[in-house]
């Protein structure tokens, strides 16, 4: 099998399992499943941070990263406990995914590179992220306006900016650590931090807005 096709298949399969478990834990009547899943993600993320090379990453940065991860997951769990928490969590996840997908798809055609911190990021990709986030925000406004008194287009703009910034922060950390991937978990995705970098900061911003 072509190595590229194999890598895409592994990425797709592991991503599908990851997303399926995430969604199931959110809507499961057993709250403990969601909490266990969040704890697993937090432990995996902290494990990767602890195992960053001490030669390149100062302990103070490592400490603040761990605090940052713990606060983000605590707030993520807090959002879940709010009224309509399941819906609010799904909106957050979809907006972050929209930012990632828009940036990846449109950015693959981009030629104007945005930052040396994340060499694959382009201005075209950022525009793609923003456009897809606003589209999803508009859809949420139409579907949820009677349930939640929230301007989802406004939220979508902030979610996009937070997702991109969160990704850049972790990209910078990986560069300091002289690595392209944060770990070996989640085959095809690099690691927990690689998959959650956008979500961590977006969760904090999202909670402040809602």
């Amino acid at each position: 099998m072509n190595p590229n096709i194999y890598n895409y298949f592994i990425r797709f399969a592991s991503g599908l399992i990851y997303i399926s478990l995430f969604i199931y834990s959110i809507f499961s009547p057993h709250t403990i499943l969601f909490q266990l899943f969040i704890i697993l993600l937090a432990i995996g993320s902290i494990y990767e941070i602890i195992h960053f090379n001490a030669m390149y990453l100062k302990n103070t940065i490592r400490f603040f990263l761990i605090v940052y991860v713990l606060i983000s997951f605590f707030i993520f769990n807090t959002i879940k406990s709010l009224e309509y928490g399941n819906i609010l969590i799904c909106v957050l996840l979809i907006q972050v995914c929209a930012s990632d997908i828009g940036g990846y798809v449109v950015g693959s055609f981009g030629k104007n590179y945005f930052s040396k911190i994340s060499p694959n990021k382009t201005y075209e990709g950022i525009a793609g992220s923003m456009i897809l986030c606003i589209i999803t925000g508009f859809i949420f406004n139409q579907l949820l306006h009677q349930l939640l008194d929230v301007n989802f287009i406004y939220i979508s703009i902030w979610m996009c900016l937070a997702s991109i910034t969160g990704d850049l922060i972790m990209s910078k950390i990986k560069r300091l650590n002289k690595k392209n991937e944060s770990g070996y978990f989640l085959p095809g995705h690099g690691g927990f931090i690689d998959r959650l970098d956008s979500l961590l900061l977006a969760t904090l911003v999202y909670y402040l807005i809602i």
Side-chain angles (χ1 to χ4, degrees):
M1 181 183 290
N2 186 301
N4 289 331
I5 295 177
Y6 176 76
N7 289 334
Y8 278 122
F9 173 77
I10 293 296
R11 182 181 177 87
F12 174 78
S14 61
L16 184 61
I17 293 171
Y18 168 70
I19 291 296
S20 298
L21 288 173
F22 218 147
I23 293 174
Y24 179 77
S25 69
I26 291 171
F27 289 99
S28 171
H30 307 291
T31 308
I32 188 66
L33 290 178
F34 176 80
Q35 293 172 343
L36 286 174
F37 190 67
I38 293 302
I39 290 171
L40 174 64
L41 294 179
I43 290 174
S45 300
I46 292 171
Y47 175 86
E48 290 179 353
I49 292 171
I50 290 174
H51 284 80
F52 280 164
N53 196 322
M55 183 184 299
Y56 303 119
L57 196 66
K58 295 181 180 178
N59 286 330
T60 51
I61 297 177
R62 196 190 311 274
F63 171 77
F64 281 114
L65 274 177
I66 292 173
V67 172
Y68 169 59
V69 167
L70 289 175
I71 291 175
S72 295
F73 279 114
F74 174 78
I75 291 177
F76 193 82
N77 188 60
T78 301
I79 294 172
K80 175 72 164 61
S81 66
L82 297 175
E83 185 178 13
Y84 304 116
N86 290 352
I87 295 174
L88 290 171
I89 285 291
C90 285
V91 169
L92 169 60
L93 292 175
I94 292 172
Q95 288 284 21
V96 171
C97 287
S99 176
D100 287 346
I101 292 171
Y104 179 78
V105 173
V106 179
S108 63
F109 300 99
K111 301 296 182 183
N112 300 293
Y113 294 100
F114 175 71
S115 172
K116 292 181 179 179
I117 296 175
S118 185
N120 294 326
K121 261 196 187 352
T122 63
Y123 284 102
E124 292 87 347
I126 291 174
S129 294
M130 185 64 72
I131 290 169
L132 191 54
C133 278
I134 291 175
I135 290 173
T136 56
F138 175 79
I139 293 172
F140 285 134
N141 266 352
Q142 302 304 307
L143 295 176
L144 303 175
H145 70 280
Q146 292 183 336
L147 191 64
L148 295 167
D149 184 22
V150 176
N151 186 337
F152 288 104
I153 295 179
Y154 173 75
I155 285 179
S156 70
I157 295 172
W158 282 103
M159 288 298 92
C160 180
L161 294 175
S163 296
I164 293 170
T165 304
D167 179 52
L168 288 174
I169 289 172
M170 288 305 178
S171 292
K172 179 63 176 178
I173 296 298
K174 285 185 293 182
R175 296 296 175 270
L176 291 174
N177 192 46
K178 307 295 184 183
K179 284 189 174 183
N180 293 324
E181 297 182 343
S182 63
Y184 303 100
F185 299 106
L186 300 176
H189 295 270
F192 282 111
I193 294 295
D194 272 18
R195 191 83 324 259
L196 298 168
D197 51 7
S198 299
L199 180 63
L200 293 172
L201 184 59
T203 297
L204 302 177
V205 174
Y206 185 66
Y207 183 71
L208 292 175
I209 295 174
I210 63 173

